Amino acid sequence: MLPAVKLPLQWKWFFGLVALLTALLVLTIVGIDVTLPPYLVHKIQEDLERDVHLMQYAFTGPVTTTPVSPAQINVLAHDLGQRTGLRITVIAPDGVVWGESSPDHQPNEMENHLRRPEVQQALHTGLGSNIRHSHTLGVDLMYVATVVRTGEPTGPVRAIVRVALPLHQIAQTTSRVRRTVAIVGIVVGLIAVPFLFWLARRYSRPIETMRQMAARVASGDFHTRAPERIGGELGELADALNQMSHQLETRLRELANEKAELTAILSGMTEGVLVVDAGGRIRLMNQALRQQFQLGDEATGKTVLEALRNVELEQLIAVPSAKEMTVLTPTERVFVVNAAALRNRAGTVVVFHDITRLKKLENLRKEFVANVSHELRTPLSIIKGYIETLLEEPAPDAAIARQFLQTIQKNSRRLETLIEDLLSISALESQQAQLTKLPVTLASAAAAAVEELSRQARAKSQRLTVNLPASLPAVAADPQRLHQIIINLLDNAIKYTQPGGQITLSARPVEHEVEVCVSDNGPGIAAEHLPHIFERFYRVDKARSRELGGTGLGLSIVKHIVQAHGGRVWVESAVGQGSAFYFSLPRA
Ligand code: ADP
């Protein structure tokens, strides 16, 4: 099959108009062919009827004189035939032909005419007509006949007069008219063609332009404009198109802006947002949600159960409400999930508020309060117990009372250090403790701490060595806090290392920092404790720590201070091989 040729509108209109014109012409010719011949026949018949009455009048005399002279009648018929151009036949009442105008026929050679249809009709009604093919002349003829009587209108019939005319005139007239009309039609057509071409062009051009414009608008190009200088309805259509395009552009721009805003809002949100359609399939996820649940683009279009594998969530979407949910993402996270139905039940929007950190903090706080209460209660109940014993009757003797009072003193000191440590931690945590960072040399800080703790070390016959390179750069630190770090680490080393042990404070510059190490050759710490050693109230051996006056907060304070300075803290240790506590601080 041939491919359909797409004709431009202009040509379609042009050919349409030409076809219309041609059809009109053909129709006119057919109309002429159909209506003209019957009309002409009718007209000829009318003429012949008039003629036959004239002939009736002309032959009344000759056919009523007695005796009738057929020769005279024949001459008259001949004569009248020549003058009028008609064929005239005069027939006796018995059908014998008396006179005949046609020079090809002799009356006495002609057959009896009584049975001719027009003759019969004339005898019965006074006037008869018939169309017949004349074999003699080889053409169609119309015959009209009437009777001649003596004493009109009912006297005896004296003769029948008949006139005839060949009908080939009709065909000739018809074809002449047809030819004339065709020629006129063709001439008119030829003159009309350029006009039709112009007309088709005049009206198809703007329509074609508008069609192209509409197509361009549909494909998103709003900068084309329909031709504006056209009058009439087409002009109005062009205006309307231009307006529509303008409004579309504005609406689309607004929509795009709204969408961009929405996308910006959604991607800027820390809460995860999920939109599911009425069929429960995911339509939209924001960046936060993708991260929270580690989802990719392939999740779009899936059901919530397929993508997130969470029945609880599926139920929440089915009956929108708010709920706290623990989800494996794959790490365990706690969310406050809010589901709300969209308007017209078009779907559901679900917002995930991650409260994992908050929950953790809350748990830590609870744990901390419990720990603090416990830590405070132990020394308090000891103090209370001893005071009660001291107050009992009979009073204990002086030596025992003194021993009791020493225990009370020791525990109240413990309470004091505990409260000091707690205050330190709370100050560090609430960031009230404003750090006043100054360039501090480690040598001076270490010397002050060693000085402070030398008595304790001497009491356990431990060697306290400071080993610092001469070129060690100064650090940027709050001098008091740095002192606290070193004291806590050295104090721990002295406390937990056996008598006669070795404790060393050393340091080295590393990139932009200075790395400090407090090491000992004490008992060391088992690997399982190392990850927790900097946690609050974490002790490897609770009883021993208490015995030594520890609060379980020393390392936690160290960690806080170092981190507040932008440094790191870590430990290397193994059972039986001593411990090395490291911290780093930025250079001054
Ligand atoms: P404490 O007040 O109990 O010393 P810390 O936070 O200072 O609390 O220390 C936590 C725990 O770490 C201690 O209870 C102890 O078990 C262990 N530890 C700290 N320093 C050392 C060290 N130098 N050698 C062995 N164990 C240590």
Side-chain angles (χ1 to χ4, degrees):
M1 215 169 83
L2 280 169
V5 182
K6 203 158 179 294
L7 215 55
L9 189 63
Q10 177 185 345
W11 289 105
K12 274 189 206 158
W13 282 21
F14 174 67
F15 288 131
L17 289 170
V18 168
L20 190 72
L21 205 70
T22 314
L24 269 176
L25 188 65
V26 170
L27 225 76
T28 311
I29 290 168
V30 170
I32 287 168
D33 272 358
V34 171
T35 57
L36 196 59
Y39 169 75
L40 289 176
V41 167
H42 179 71
K43 187 81 185 102
I44 288 169
Q45 189 171 356
E46 264 180 15
D47 288 352
L48 285 180
E49 280 172 11
R50 197 190 56 217
D51 293 339
V52 88
H53 283 114
L54 283 173
M55 296 310 151
Q56 182 190 36
Y57 178 74
F59 283 99
T60 303
V63 297
T64 48
T65 45
T66 23
V68 174
S69 161
Q72 201 189 340
I73 291 168
N74 192 37
V75 168
L76 185 60
H78 220 86
D79 191 25
L80 285 170
Q82 279 208 325
R83 284 167 197 268
T84 58
L86 294 166
R87 182 183 166 196
I88 302 161
T89 315
V90 183
I91 305 152
D94 60 356
V96 173
V97 178
W98 277 338
E100 167 62 53
S101 67
S102 167
D104 308 330
H105 295 83
Q106 289 306 314
N108 51 2
E109 288 169 7
M110 290 168 74
E111 58 185 73
N112 190 293
H113 272 46
L114 193 65
R115 290 286 130 216
R116 295 287 194 272
E118 66 277 6
V119 174
Q120 281 296 315
Q121 207 182 342
L123 286 172
H124 283 103
T125 63
L127 190 70
S129 67
N130 186 233
I131 295 171
R132 217 172 32 252
H133 188 75
S134 158
H135 291 289
T136 8
L137 298 176
V139 291
D140 280 346
L141 285 170
M142 176 179 274
Y143 301 91
V144 176
T146 190
V147 288
V148 184
R149 298 173 191 269
T150 43
E152 294 289 341
T154 49
V157 173
R158 304 305 291 265
I160 297 126
V161 184
R162 186 183 79 171
V163 290
L165 204 65
L167 291 182
H168 55 74
Q169 263 185 12
I170 293 177
Q172 276 171 5
T173 312
T174 309
S175 89
R176 207 180 308 126
V177 173
R178 193 197 296 138
R179 205 181 312 125
T180 314
V181 169
I183 289 167
V184 170
I186 287 166
V187 170
V188 168
L190 286 178
I191 296 170
V193 161
F195 172 71
L196 292 183
F197 187 74
W198 173 83
L199 203 70
R201 199 180 152 93
R202 165 93 170 71
Y203 286 96
S204 64
R205 266 276 173 94
I207 290 180
E208 179 56 22
T209 319
M210 283 187 260
R211 185 192 68 76
Q212 285 174 1
M213 178 212 162
R216 251 175 271 151
V217 168
S219 67
D221 172 10
F222 299 103
H223 297 290
T224 43
R225 285 276 170 272
E228 269 156 8
R229 276 171 313 191
I230 325 166
E233 285 84 349
L234 272 183
E236 282 170 28
L237 181 63
D239 283 351
L241 258 179
N242 282 339
Q243 264 182 35
M244 188 189 76
S245 152
H246 181 69
Q247 278 176 6
L248 253 176
E249 187 185 6
T250 324
R251 269 312 284 149
L252 275 180
R253 202 182 308 125
E254 280 171 14
L255 272 176
N257 286 347
E258 273 171 31
K259 195 174 173 221
E261 274 171 28
L262 193 72
T263 314
I265 292 171
L266 281 178
S267 54
M269 278 173 78
T270 45
E271 287 86 3
V273 179
L274 175 76
V275 179
V276 294
D277 63 17
R281 294 193 176 272
I282 297 175
R283 263 181 46 199
L284 194 145
M285 304 171 288
N286 71 346
Q287 197 51 38
L289 187 89
R290 285 167 203 261
Q291 276 170 3
Q292 280 167 355
F293 289 86
Q294 312 207 327
L295 291 173
D297 282 334
E298 73 286 344
T300 317
K302 286 188 183 168
T303 63
V304 170
L305 203 62
E306 283 166 356
L308 302 173
R309 313 214 165 275
N310 190 317
V311 182
E312 214 181 342
L313 189 61
E314 174 103 343
Q315 287 164 350
L316 186 75
I317 290 169
V319 188
S321 58
K323 197 171 182 184
E324 192 177 302
M325 242 179 237
T326 307
V327 186
L328 284 172
T329 71
T331 52
E332 197 180 85
R333 287 174 162 272
V334 189
F335 291 99
V336 172
V337 187
N338 265 291
L342 289 173
R343 249 197 293 165
N344 303 333
R345 305 229 145 265
T348 312
V349 57
V350 192
V351 180
F352 294 79
H353 190 79
D354 190 345
I355 56 160
T356 315
R357 224 175 78 83
L358 238 115
K359 274 272 157 185
K360 221 180 238 171
L361 282 176
E362 196 184 301
N363 287 342
L364 275 178
R365 196 186 52 80
K366 278 185 193 158
E367 207 179 297
F368 182 67
V369 170
N371 277 331
V372 168
S373 318
H374 180 73
E375 292 296 329
L376 289 173
R377 203 164 50 213
T378 321
L380 268 177
S381 47
I382 294 172
I383 292 168
K384 198 175 138 222
Y386 279 99
I387 290 175
E388 276 166 3
T389 321
L390 280 172
L391 291 175
E392 263 172 18
E393 290 290 341
D397 64 52
I400 291 179
R402 187 176 165 74
Q403 217 180 335
F404 282 6
L405 283 170
Q406 276 170 345
T407 310
I408 290 172
Q409 189 192 33
K410 188 179 154 198
N411 277 287
S412 41
R413 274 208 200 109
R414 210 177 123 196
L415 271 179
E416 199 184 359
T417 39
L418 185 65
I419 286 165
E420 268 167 22
D421 280 359
L422 282 173
L423 286 173
S424 281
I425 284 211
S426 119
L428 285 165
E429 275 192 345
S430 65
Q431 284 173 340
Q432 272 173 357
Q434 293 274 324
L435 294 176
T436 33
K437 283 195 202 171
L438 299 169
V440 191
T441 56
L442 250 142
S444 63
V450 167
E451 160 87 45
E452 209 173 293
L453 295 174
S454 59
R455 206 170 54 87
Q456 254 172 270
R458 255 203 315 274
K460 288 183 81 175
S461 319
Q462 290 163 333
R463 281 209 309 143
L464 204 56
T465 320
V466 175
N467 188 2
L468 300 174
S471 60
L472 192 71
V475 291
D478 185 319
Q480 263 183 311
R481 297 293 181 194
L482 178 60
H483 181 71
Q484 200 174 355
I485 298 173
I486 300 172
I487 289 280
N488 282 6
L489 292 179
L490 285 178
D491 181 52
N492 274 353
I494 295 168
K495 268 195 306 195
Y496 297 109
T497 304
Q498 69 286 356
Q502 167 70 48
I503 294 149
T504 314
L505 188 149
S506 59
R508 62 182 186 121
V510 178
E511 288 176 8
H512 306 295
E513 296 177 322
V514 172
E515 196 179 282
V516 186
C517 173
V518 175
S519 60
D520 62 55
N521 61 352
I525 303 160
E528 75 257 31
H529 298 295
L530 292 178
H532 306 288
I533 207 85
F534 292 98
E535 286 171 15
R536 287 182 294 204
F537 297 114
Y538 192 88
R539 290 135 158 159
V540 175
D541 181 344
K542 267 201 175 113
R544 191 166 150 63
S545 160
R546 287 222 182 91
E547 177 58 33
L548 296 168
T551 58
L553 292 172
L555 287 180
S556 151
I557 292 172
V558 168
K559 184 177 144 192
H560 260 97
I561 299 175
V562 171
Q563 284 179 346
H565 279 84
R568 292 170 304 123
V569 62
W570 68 101
V571 58
E572 284 169 8
S573 182
V575 176
Q577 291 182 12
S579 313
F581 286 85
Y582 293 87
F583 68 92
S584 69
L585 288 175
R587 290 190 196 188

